[in-house]
Amino acid sequence: MKACCRSLGCEVLNYESIYEERFAARLDEFKWLYMELYDNEDLFWELCDSMRTYFDARHTELKESDRDCEAHPDWYRTSDLLGMMLYIDSFAGDIRGVKERLDYLERCNVNYVHLMPFLDTPKGASDGGYAVADFRKVRSDLGTMEDLEELTAACHRRKMNVCMDFVMNHTSQEHAWARRARAGEEEYRSRYFFYPDRRIPDQYERTVPQVFPTVAPGNFTWLEEEQTWVMTTFYPYQWDLNYRNPRVFNEMMGEFLFLANKGIDIMRLDAVPYIWKELGTTSRNLPQVHTLVRLMRIIGEIVCPGVLLLGEVVMEPEKVVPYFDTVEKPECHMLYNVTTMATTWHTVATRNVGLLRHQLGLVNALPKQYVFLNYLRCHDDIGWGLDYEKLKEEGIEEYWHKKYLNGYFQGHCGGSVSRGELYNDDPVTGDARFCGTTASMCGIEKAGFEGSAVTCSSEKDGIEGEAAVLCGSGKIWSEDAVTPMDLAIRKDLMLHAYLLMQTGIPVLYSGDEVGQVNDYSYKDDPEKADDSRYIHRGRMNWELADQIDCPDTVQGKLFSGLNRLETVRREEKAFSFDARVRTIDTWDESVLCMERCLGDEKILGLFNFCEYDRTAWINEADGMYENLLTGEVREAKGVDIPACGYCYLKRIG
Ligand code: GLC
């Protein structure tokens, strides 16, 4: 059909009517929402004209893929998708380098690549690229827009999707609008929030929390030369955009469509809850934010329906879920499953799956259309956003529990083998977040670099040093010899096995597939030294990646272990999006059991979060099961799970 259209030369006409149809179907709601917010019909039609221009400029291949996506709106609700997020420079030098590494990404089974911020940003005032100076220019050391287009096209040929950050809450102070605002141009001044004195800023400060209380306290920055305050929720060089000005919205939508036309498939809406400010409120998640996101969704559905919106809402579940909105009037296609991520690490530190079961229960009860992005680690710190009301029932108090978690993951208490650093350690509130790679948090750094990779014997008497801490007293290992390194690798794989069992799109953090540990070299770079998030943003170590085929290495064990899990996830029907998912009581506080059922298919996942051998006291009297990772056939009753072990059991009748 497509080929026929092209050969008849009627392509343009054809797309025109497709566009008109999409537009007409959405116009009422689109206009109503825009007018409700801005009450400016001229600017509404100006936006519509500009949308049409971007549609006309969109490559035919992208338009075709948009049509495919429209025909298969569930295309991203599949257990085939596996993501990886990476920094272009750390991973491969520049954009062309990434293109040369696509074979490697394919070997990682990755078909969704999140390229961390790569747009033009001032050196030394960039927040890892989240301070954009020009939305139409690639950072010069990374390449050009043409390189980006070539990369996205190459990815599409391999059926890989490309994700990028759309930093819409703020621009860099060096952005052209900011410069013109500083030069006194009124129209540009109204695109930001300027105040001559502290009167209004002080009113905001009363109700607006701080994002970076220690490294960038307050929500405003004094500009000495201009003698004015400017709103800067994040770093002082990131000026908040004022979306009350419809020009800001219209022009930012132009930037969105421009980037979509470069072949981007997934737009990560950075810091989206912050985009509307209102005195007397927290200026987070206000109703106007939802109107703006809904407008953006409509614009995308008209111009580039193949492009997905991924909302970055790093908040508690009650705040996250509204960004999906209703199934009839959706906002984001996907959202980060942030509470599950934080609760996972809480479970590692407490070896108690109670809270995790509760959290998974909440997620599993949501409509199946909602797609979560699941992850263990990302480029940011871990904020301990847990359900403290629930923990209180167990006598666990928020303040002390955060202290414990931060102590545990720094390796200070709780028999921890984790390594990492605090982030934004606030001496006033005592609050802090945590940074470290998955491998370091699982003990691979300690076992590999601190000389504790000793083999311990099977009997408790022979267990020494670190291993003794892990084993406790009176416990024996389930195998003849388990080194702390083996145990760390197993813990790392267990967490991935559990991650892959959740419904949604799993996104790996680049380097995790080879167990990359913390990188402390950021401390030597004055531009990064203040920001411990760089500890887990280290350079990809390709020497490690060269070892993935050597079965005796850490990398070989992790890589092949992950590969097996990913294959199961892709191939087994019970992993599909519409499966019924629940957790089952194992009568052991450290062992999580997840069940996925689809039709007659049933798979159980068992995950032991503690360093002792445990038994999952499940009693599934419905036939025999096959361990999908070892081939063993057995009953799903009283299943022994070694320390930090895991298994997938499939019912075979
Ligand atoms: C998001 C990013 C974070 C950045 C912030 C400001 O939260 O994930 O890295 O610092 O936005 O843009």
Side-chain angles (χ1 to χ4, degrees), residues 127 130 170 212 234 238 268 270 312 379-380 533 537:
D127 184 21
Y130 286 99
H170 43 259
F212 300 138
F234 291 84
Q238 289 165 310
R268 175 184 181 272
D270 182 63
E312 191 226 359
H379 68 297
D380 277 331
R533 290 178 298 176
R537 296 178 183 173

Side-chain angles (χ1 to χ4, degrees), residues 420-479:
E421 291 181 347
L422 296 189
Y423 176 70
N424 265 281
D425 189 4
D426 188 337
V428 183
T429 61
D431 208 24
R433 282 114 83 172
F434 184 80
C435 297
T437 69
T438 306
S440 287
M441 293 174 76
C442 287
I444 290 178
E445 176 178 338
K446 179 169 167 51
F449 296 89
E450 296 174 26
S452 53
V454 283
T455 305
C456 62
S457 74
S458 62
E459 297 302 326
K460 61 181 184 225
D461 295 345
I463 298 171
E464 292 175 330
E466 183 60 26
V469 176
L470 292 176
C471 300
S473 56
K475 287 278 172 183
I476 56 164
W477 295 105
S478 55
E479 294 157 35

Side-chain angles (χ1 to χ4, degrees), residues 87 116-117 126-131 165 167-170 211-212 234-235 238 268-272 274 312 314 336 378-381 423 531 533 537:
Y87 281 93
M116 296 302 290
S126 96
D127 184 21
Y130 286 99
D165 287 85
V167 187
M168 60 187 303
N169 177 66
H170 43 259
V211 180
F212 300 138
F234 291 84
Y235 280 108
Q238 289 165 310
R268 175 184 181 272
L269 307 185
D270 182 63
V272 67
Y274 299 73
E312 191 226 359
V314 181
Y336 285 87
C378 72
H379 68 297
D380 277 331
D381 49 291
Y423 176 70
D531 193 335
R533 290 178 298 176
R537 296 178 183 173

Side-chain angles (χ1 to χ4, degrees), residues 54 530 534:
Y54 286 105
D530 267 355
Y534 285 99

Side-chain angles (χ1 to χ4, degrees), residues 74-86:
D74 276 343
W75 71 270
Y76 60 99
R77 293 188 182 100
T78 148
S79 53
D80 278 357
L81 275 178
L82 177 69
M84 182 179 279
M85 50 193 298
L86 55 88

